[in-house]
Amino acid sequence: MKTKLFQVLACVAMAALLTSCPETTVPDNFGATTIGLKPENAEEWEGSWHPVDDPKEVFVFHVTDAPKGLMEIRDVPVPDPAASPQDPPKPPNIYTLMLRDTGVTTEEKLHFAIVKDTAKPGNGTLYLVRYPQDGVCILWGIDHEAVSAAITSGEIQGLTKRDKDKNPQSALGDDPADYPKLLSPKFWKWTEPAVLVKIKK
């Protein structure tokens, strides 16, 4: 089963490979400022997580640079029952997630998250994340169509085009005036979050 987080990360990898997948990318400095993580905050992220609807799909989070709010995400490959014992184990997919301040204070502690496939350099894909609470983390994907329309109308700054399958490919700039605008409900897939549950030791 492809879980929501698996789909999120797979789309990051596919977009990096220039295959057909809608995407909204941003530079590393997108957002009002970095989200520095204190030791106790880093501990909230560290460890193994699984989507709430699929305990077998495990992702390991490791904070690599707390002052920058930077962490590494590795999936734990599920063994293929059809594989031969002589086959080498499947290597994990590795991504980075960087927390960035939206510039808007919210009770929900919402932050921008820039996700990258470590195998592919360049800008990252933009998501919205709620800080972990009681071992639960929620990640929302952006509505690529809404972003493309807002760029076209001049509401926010950036470049947008369509790939061969008519999927929007948008690149946002780093205009601070756009950060609060992007918290508008129309830009996020609120009803389709990736909900992660931390695995207790």
Side-chain angles (χ1 to χ4, degrees):
M1 174 182 178
K2 285 191 175 182
T3 63
K4 196 65 181 177
L5 183 62
F6 184 90
Q7 293 171 356
V8 164
L9 297 178
C11 198
V12 171
M14 285 191 295
L17 289 170
L18 301 180
T19 55
S20 180
C21 184
E23 187 180 33
T24 299
T25 60
V26 294
D28 288 350
N29 63 344
F30 189 86
T33 185
T34 58
I35 299 293
L37 295 175
K38 298 177 181 178
E40 62 271 22
N41 301 134
E43 183 65 25
E44 292 178 308
W45 290 96
E46 289 273 355
S48 298
W49 298 76
H50 69 79
V52 67
D53 61 343
D54 194 345
K56 294 181 180 179
E57 199 77 57
V58 177
F59 301 88
V60 179
F61 284 60
H62 173 60
V63 176
T64 56
D65 191 331
K68 291 184 178 179
L70 183 63
M71 61 195 80
E72 178 184 88
I73 304 174
R74 291 175 177 254
D75 67 354
V76 178
V78 178
D80 183 357
S84 166
Q86 287 74 38
D87 291 341
K90 182 181 177 182
N93 295 301
I94 305 174
Y95 306 88
T96 60
L97 185 152
M98 184 189 306
L99 298 173
R100 299 284 298 180
D101 195 338
T102 64
V104 178
T105 301
T106 64
E107 292 183 5
E108 296 81 6
K109 294 186 178 180
L110 298 176
H111 303 302
F112 291 134
I114 302 174
V115 179
K116 292 185 178 184
D117 180 348
T118 58
K120 305 297 174 185
N123 289 344
T125 302
L126 184 65
Y127 296 91
L128 195 66
V129 65
R130 192 189 75 180
Y131 210 86
Q133 297 179 7
D134 300 321
V136 177
C137 179
I138 303 178
L139 185 76
W140 289 272
I142 200 164
D143 188 318
H144 305 292
E145 292 286 354
V147 168
S148 181
I151 292 173
T152 301
S153 70
E155 180 181 356
I156 57 176
Q157 301 302 307
L159 299 173
T160 188
K161 62 180 181 179
R162 300 278 170 170
D163 64 18
K164 62 181 180 180
D165 292 325
K166 307 301 181 184
N167 291 312
Q169 303 283 322
S170 300
L172 297 177
D174 57 358
D175 186 345
D178 288 341
Y179 305 152
K181 294 177 186 177
L182 283 166
L183 287 186
S184 171
K186 70 179 181 180
F187 287 117
W188 301 97
K189 298 182 179 179
W190 296 109
T191 61
E192 302 176 28
V195 181
L196 299 178
V197 178
K198 192 171 187 179
I199 300 173
K200 296 181 180 180
K201 297 179 181 179

